């Protein structure tokens, strides 16, 4: 037995703790499969549950009250998921294996990593599922206790935490608490390439605050939410850390020149002096203290407080030659992460929906605010090198992976990432996902978006090998609510580049940005490129990273059907409740019910959208019911064309954009409904939209 445990521990340590380097080119390097003990001597020393005849389904039981010296039976369950994972590797070559998790919280010391050896082998399936009537929690957090009143007048409490801890979110009584924040008028400041000048003397007190190097500024405007970190404050000069600040003041909709003008919002974040509102906190890593101001009704003597200690929970990834296969997660709850990269000098220079600029930009302009606040050549060279926010649960180089009836909640970033960039997966590989099912899950109380499918690098839109593509992704009957609370610019559901993505009968609500987004690239990577990016001010194709392709991207045959999207776009005027970018042959957006988006856009075909049919959708209480952005109505730029919007119903909003014969964009047989007199066909679609009843 000792020999077996030693072998398992050694193998598991290598698999769980290893962090392979990021793959830079395709085809990706092979990642050796984890060792699977299989000698006769080892099998003789194996617990009886591992000595089942081949072909007989096996159940391995785990319980927080178990013991890793047990045998994995219901009577003697294992205690940890890594021990169960080691057992699976001895069983999955000859049998279906179910790892049954008993009720309780499984606190992970490190993210679980699943390689090819962890999936089903030889046609078998491995399932990690909740025991009957159980809701096991895979947590990347730790409880914070011992609260005491620190400031009676301000109502601030404090508790001890490990030295060096600096989470960007905590959860109190099951609700996200945010870092201490104050909103300021943009008129109180002036913006420069080195940082921010304090113009209003009322804000001079900032120079007297301690821990200035942990303070941040945030800006939201037309479609971006940027975060940048302060270096120090000297009198009226808020000197910002680089390159994060420089990256936040170039491109489009920047902190220094937001497209919303005076309506843009500006925030100062993460100082104890800012802790004034209930439900906010401040962590002092040098002193090992966590300060919190309770919400009304919260009793800190009894409140459950969880502080994330992990930046992700699960990373699934094999290789393109040997992907992870036949792996399912059913009835589990993924909770408690905090992605910490924005706390560093890069900040979070967001571009759109989880994509961000990191590192120094070559040929940075001498006058960035003057010359690069509406794009510039230096900025355009970066587009194919943007990064993606790593999700809490990550999947790449995998096939036939299933998430069903799971909860993704209390997470400090995008919840579930499928086939994203290699730098967004801890196993160092990106894309390469097929036949992924995401069904009847709940995505609640998230700092970022719910689901992000596909990458944004050239390997994402034009894979060098077929196995690197993202294909056949099913997103069905999920609830997405209360997402993007810290990264407001992220869509609830995003698909960048994928073939045959089906987004059907989901309910998406309470999101500051878009509900469902599909497509990427603004048409730049479609055959022949985009004329809008050839102009001298952009010079996109002048850079060797930015090719003109003669072949289409892998984005095609998207279906967005029967979804209920409502109460979204509360922060941003740009984007749409359902939004589309770039060519997507065979795309269908049909029978969706979009409502309660006052002042916002319901259905939006943005730059490069082609071959999209929007049919039989119902739209209510919006500002613009249908928009198409081609630039063709002002310039002879054919950037969005060959689209159809037909037989849709709407009771409010305008129709805008280039619906012209010149672009072959047709809007026909759409019906304005007055006084709530919806036709029977429209009411049937409204009734059917959203999550379907269980059969």
């Amino acid at each position: 037995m000792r020999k077996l445990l030693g072998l398992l521990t050694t193998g598991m340590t290598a698999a769980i703790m290893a962090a392979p380097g990021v793959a830079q080119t395709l085809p990706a390097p092979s990642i050796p499969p984890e060792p699977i003990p299989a000698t006769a001597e080892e099998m003789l020393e194996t617990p009886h549950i591992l000595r089942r005849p081949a072909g007989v389904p096996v159940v391995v039981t785990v319980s927080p009250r178990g013991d890793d010296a047990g045998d994995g039976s219901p009577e003697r369950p294992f205690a940890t998921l890594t021990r169960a994972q080691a057992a699976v590797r001895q069983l999955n070559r000859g049998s279906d294996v179910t790892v049954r998790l008993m009720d309780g919280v499984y606190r992970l010391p490190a993210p679980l990593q699943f390689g090819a050896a962890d999936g089903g082998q030889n046609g078998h399936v491995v399932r990690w599922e909740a025991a009957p009537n159980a809701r096991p929690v895979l947590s990347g957090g730790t409880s914070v206790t011992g609260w005491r009143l620190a400031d009676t007048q301000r109502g601030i409490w404090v508790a001890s935490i490990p030295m060096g801890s600096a989470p960007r979110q905590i959860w109190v009584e099951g609700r996200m608490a945010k870092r201490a924040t104050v909103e300021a008028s943009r008129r109180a400041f002036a913006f420069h390439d080195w940082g921010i000048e304090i113009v209003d003397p009322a804000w001079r007190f900032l120079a007297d605050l301690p821990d200035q190097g942990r303070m941040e500024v945030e800006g939201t405007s037309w479609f971006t939410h940027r975060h940048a970190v302060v270096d120090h404050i000297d009198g009226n000069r808020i000197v910002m850390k680089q390159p994060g600040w420089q990256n936040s003041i170039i491109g489009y909709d920047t902190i220094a020149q937001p497209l919303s003008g005076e309506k843009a919002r500006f925030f100062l974040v993460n100082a104890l002096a800012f802790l004034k509102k209930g439900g906010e906190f401040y962590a002092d890593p040098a002193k090992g203290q966590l300060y919190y101001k309770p919400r009304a009704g919260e009793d800190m003597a009894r409140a459950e407080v969880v502080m994330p200690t992990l930046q992700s929970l699960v990373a699934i990834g094999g290789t393109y030659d040997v992907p992870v296969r036949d792996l399912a997660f059913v009835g589990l709850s993924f909770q408690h992460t905090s992605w910490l990269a924005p706390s560093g000098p890069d900040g979070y220079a967001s571009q759109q929906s989880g994509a961000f600029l990191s590192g120094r930009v070559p040929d940075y302009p001498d006058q960035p605010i003057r010359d690069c606040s509406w794009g510039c050549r230096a900025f355009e060279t970066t587009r194919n090198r943007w990064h993606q926010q790593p999700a809490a649960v990550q999947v790449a180089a995998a096939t036939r992976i299933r998430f069903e009836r799971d909860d993704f909640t209390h997470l400090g970033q995008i919840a579930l990432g499928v086939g994203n960039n290699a730098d967004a997966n801890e196993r160092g590989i990106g894309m390469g996902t097929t036949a992924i099912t995401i069904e009847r899950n709940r995505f609640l109380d998230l700092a970022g978006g719910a689901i992000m499918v596909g990458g944004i690098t050239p390997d994402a839109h034009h894979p060098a090998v077929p196995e690197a593509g993202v294909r056949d992704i099913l997103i069905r009957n999920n609830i997405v609510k209360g997402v993007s609370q810290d990264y407001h610019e992220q869509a609830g559901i995003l698909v960048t580049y994928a073939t045959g993505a089906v987004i059907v009968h989901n309910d998406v609500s309470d999101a500051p940005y878009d509900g469902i987004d599909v497509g990427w690239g603004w048409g730049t990577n479609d055959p022949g490129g985009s004329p809008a990016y050839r102009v001298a001010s952009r010079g996109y194709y002048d850079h060797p990273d930015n090719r003109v392709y003669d072949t289409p991207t892998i984005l095609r045959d998207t279906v967005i059907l029967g979804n209920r999207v409502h109460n979204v776009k509360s922060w941003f005027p740009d984007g749409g409740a359902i939004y589309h970018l770039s060519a997507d042959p065979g795309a269908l957006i049909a029978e969706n019910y979009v409502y309660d988006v006052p002042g916002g856009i319901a259905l939006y075909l943005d730059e490069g959208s082609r071959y999209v049919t929007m049919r039989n959708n119902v739209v209510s209480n919006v500002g613009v019911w249908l928009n198409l952005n081609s630039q063709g109505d002002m310039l002879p730029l054919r950037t969005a064309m060959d689209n159809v919007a037909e037989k849709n119903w709407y009771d409010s909003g305008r129709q805008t954009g280039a619906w012209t014969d010149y672009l072959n964009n047709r809007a026909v047989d759409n019906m304005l409904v007055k006084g709530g007199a919806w036709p029977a066909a429209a009411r049937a679609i409204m009734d059917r939209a959203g999550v379907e009843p269980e059969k």
Side-chain angles (χ1 to χ4, degrees):
M1 177 65 75
R2 289 183 180 177
K3 182 176 179 181
L4 172 65
L5 291 176
L7 287 166
L8 293 177
T9 301
T10 300
M12 287 306 303
T13 300
I16 299 301
M17 301 304 293
V22 174
Q24 299 297 323
T25 60
L26 290 177
S30 294
I31 300 174
E34 292 80 355
I36 306 174
T39 69
E41 179 184 1
E42 289 161 353
M43 293 305 291
L44 286 174
E45 297 181 8
T46 300
H48 73 84
I49 196 168
L50 305 184
R51 299 200 300 268
R52 301 289 180 88
V56 176
V58 180
V59 175
V60 177
T61 306
V62 192
S63 169
R65 296 162 293 281
D67 188 335
D68 278 355
D71 60 11
S73 67
E75 296 76 22
R76 299 180 60 203
F78 297 138
T80 66
L81 303 184
T82 52
R83 178 64 182 90
Q85 189 178 31
V88 167
R89 292 178 183 169
Q90 289 188 288
L91 297 161
N92 56 355
R93 289 170 299 168
S95 302
D96 291 344
V97 183
T98 297
V99 180
R100 186 159 294 160
L101 279 64
M102 306 301 288
D103 208 18
V105 178
Y106 298 81
R107 300 202 183 277
L108 304 181
L112 287 171
Q113 295 200 27
F114 291 85
D118 298 299
Q121 311 291 315
N122 304 319
H124 295 288
V125 176
V126 174
R127 289 169 56 93
W128 292 70
E129 70 174 24
N133 303 315
R135 199 62 175 177
V137 175
L138 278 62
S139 173
T142 185
S143 295
V144 180
T145 59
W147 290 91
R148 59 191 186 278
L149 190 61
D151 188 325
T152 303
Q153 185 175 0
R154 296 170 61 192
I156 295 174
W157 291 67
V158 66
S160 296
I161 56 176
M163 301 285 283
S165 299
R168 297 180 68 86
Q169 302 84 19
I170 64 172
W171 277 268
V172 181
E173 294 292 81
R175 297 170 63 189
M176 182 187 296
K178 300 182 180 182
R179 296 176 305 161
T181 303
V182 293
E183 185 168 5
S185 169
R186 292 181 52 85
R187 294 181 179 180
F189 305 93
F191 300 89
H192 306 274
D193 58 353
W194 50 263
I196 303 168
E197 178 186 358
I198 301 173
V199 176
D200 184 345
W203 291 94
R204 291 281 182 90
F205 76 91
L206 295 173
D208 299 325
L209 298 181
D211 295 327
Q212 295 169 2
R214 297 190 60 245
M215 290 173 52
E216 298 179 20
V217 300
E218 296 182 18
T220 64
S221 179
W222 201 250
F223 63 90
T224 63
H225 183 189
R226 300 175 186 250
H227 306 61
V229 183
V230 172
D231 186 84
H232 66 277
I233 304 175
D234 183 9
N236 67 342
R237 291 167 58 93
I238 304 176
V239 180
M240 301 298 293
K241 288 184 179 177
Q242 305 294 1
W245 176 250
Q246 289 186 339
N247 290 340
S248 287
I249 59 174
I250 64 169
Y252 298 86
D253 198 32
T254 68
I255 288 184
Q257 291 285 349
L259 297 182
S260 296
E262 290 298 320
K263 293 182 179 179
R265 303 177 70 176
F266 182 75
F267 303 88
L268 297 159
V269 185
N270 204 38
L272 185 57
F274 304 157
L275 186 50
K276 299 179 180 181
K277 297 188 291 291
E280 293 188 343
F281 74 93
Y282 173 75
D284 187 335
K287 296 180 180 178
Q289 292 184 320
L290 180 64
Y291 297 89
Y292 178 70
K293 185 175 176 62
R295 302 178 181 95
E298 289 179 341
D299 181 356
M300 297 311 296
R302 300 179 179 179
E304 180 188 37
V305 180
V306 180
M307 181 186 73
T309 59
L310 297 184
Q311 298 193 60
S312 62
L313 294 174
V314 175
I316 300 169
T319 68
Y320 299 140
D321 293 333
V322 186
V324 183
R325 298 178 181 272
D326 299 310
L327 187 61
F329 301 87
V330 182
L332 310 182
S333 183
F334 300 96
Q335 300 190 27
H336 308 134
T337 61
S338 189
W339 182 55
L340 301 181
S343 300
D346 272 323
Y348 179 68
S350 71
Q351 303 304 313
Q352 185 163 320
S353 209
F356 62 95
L357 186 57
S358 179
R360 295 194 177 275
V361 173
D363 302 319
Y364 194 83
D366 292 334
Q367 298 289 331
I369 297 175
R370 184 193 69 186
D371 299 336
C372 201
S373 289
W374 183 249
C376 66
R377 295 169 69 90
F379 173 78
E380 295 297 346
T381 65
T382 71
R383 285 183 181 266
N384 278 314
R385 299 192 304 275
W386 291 353
H387 299 260
Q388 289 181 298
Q389 185 180 89
V393 178
Q394 309 161 4
V395 184
T399 185
R400 297 195 296 270
I401 310 297
R402 185 177 189 88
F403 296 92
E404 182 180 355
R405 304 180 190 277
D406 297 318
D407 283 346
F408 295 81
T409 185
H410 308 156
L411 299 170
Q413 69 246 66
I414 291 167
L416 177 59
V418 176
N420 306 143
N421 286 0
D423 55 37
N425 190 292
E426 288 204 9
R427 293 192 57 84
I429 192 165
M431 283 70 83
T433 49
T434 60
I436 311 298
T437 299
I438 306 165
E439 185 166 18
R440 293 201 179 276
N441 305 285
R442 298 189 302 176
F443 297 84
L444 309 170
D445 193 28
L446 303 175
I451 303 168
M452 179 170 67
V453 175
I456 55 177
T457 62
D459 292 338
H461 50 76
H462 284 85
V465 294
E467 293 80 9
V470 177
R471 299 179 176 86
D472 302 326
I473 312 298
L474 175 61
I475 304 172
R476 178 168 61 187
N477 285 322
N478 300 284
I479 295 173
V480 175
K481 183 176 183 180
V483 301
S484 306
Q485 296 185 51
D486 268 350
Y487 305 102
H488 296 322
E489 91 297 349
Q490 296 181 4
I493 298 173
L494 168 67
V495 176
T496 59
Y497 291 108
T499 298
V502 176
I503 306 169
V504 57
H505 282 292
N506 303 281
D507 191 301
V508 183
S509 68
D510 297 335
Y513 188 52
D514 297 355
I516 300 173
D517 284 7
V518 168
W520 198 259
W522 294 266
T524 58
N525 302 308
D526 293 323
S530 169
Y533 287 78
R534 288 197 176 90
V535 295
S537 60
R538 282 179 160 172
Y540 174 83
Y541 296 107
D542 295 343
H543 193 274
D545 280 357
N546 304 334
R547 291 178 48 190
V548 176
Y549 291 92
D550 292 326
T551 55
T553 74
I554 67 168
L555 179 63
R556 61 174 302 120
D557 297 326
T558 303
V559 174
I560 305 174
L561 174 70
N563 300 282
R564 182 182 297 264
V565 183
H566 53 108
N567 300 102
V568 298
K569 303 211 58 60
S570 57
W571 278 73
F572 301 100
D574 196 27
I578 298 178
Y579 172 89
H580 193 281
L581 275 171
S582 295
D584 190 351
L588 176 65
I589 302 173
E591 299 186 16
N592 301 285
Y593 181 26
V594 178
Y595 63 96
D596 290 348
V597 191
I601 302 172
L603 307 176
Y604 190 163
L605 301 184
D606 204 354
E607 290 182 70
S609 291
R610 297 188 70 175
Y611 317 120
V612 181
T613 297
M614 296 187 291
R615 182 176 66 220
N616 299 127
N617 298 285
V618 179
V619 177
S620 177
N621 187 26
V622 301
V624 174
W625 84 269
L626 176 65
N627 183 53
L628 187 148
N629 179 21
S630 175
Q631 304 185 45
D633 50 347
M634 296 180 291
L635 298 168
L637 300 180
R638 296 165 68 84
T639 61
M641 51 193 296
D642 305 317
N643 301 293
V644 177
E646 63 181 359
K647 298 179 181 178
N648 301 284
W649 297 272
Y650 62 101
D651 68 0
S652 56
R654 309 182 310 280
Q655 175 183 311
T656 57
W659 297 95
T660 66
D661 291 340
Y662 169 69
L663 297 171
N664 193 32
N665 291 319
R666 297 184 296 115
V668 295
D669 297 330
N670 300 297
M671 178 183 296
L672 173 63
V673 176
K674 297 182 179 180
W678 298 101
R683 288 198 174 277
I685 288 170
M686 296 159 74
D687 292 341
R688 289 196 304 267
V691 176
E692 298 172 297
E694 301 230 29
K695 297 180 180 179

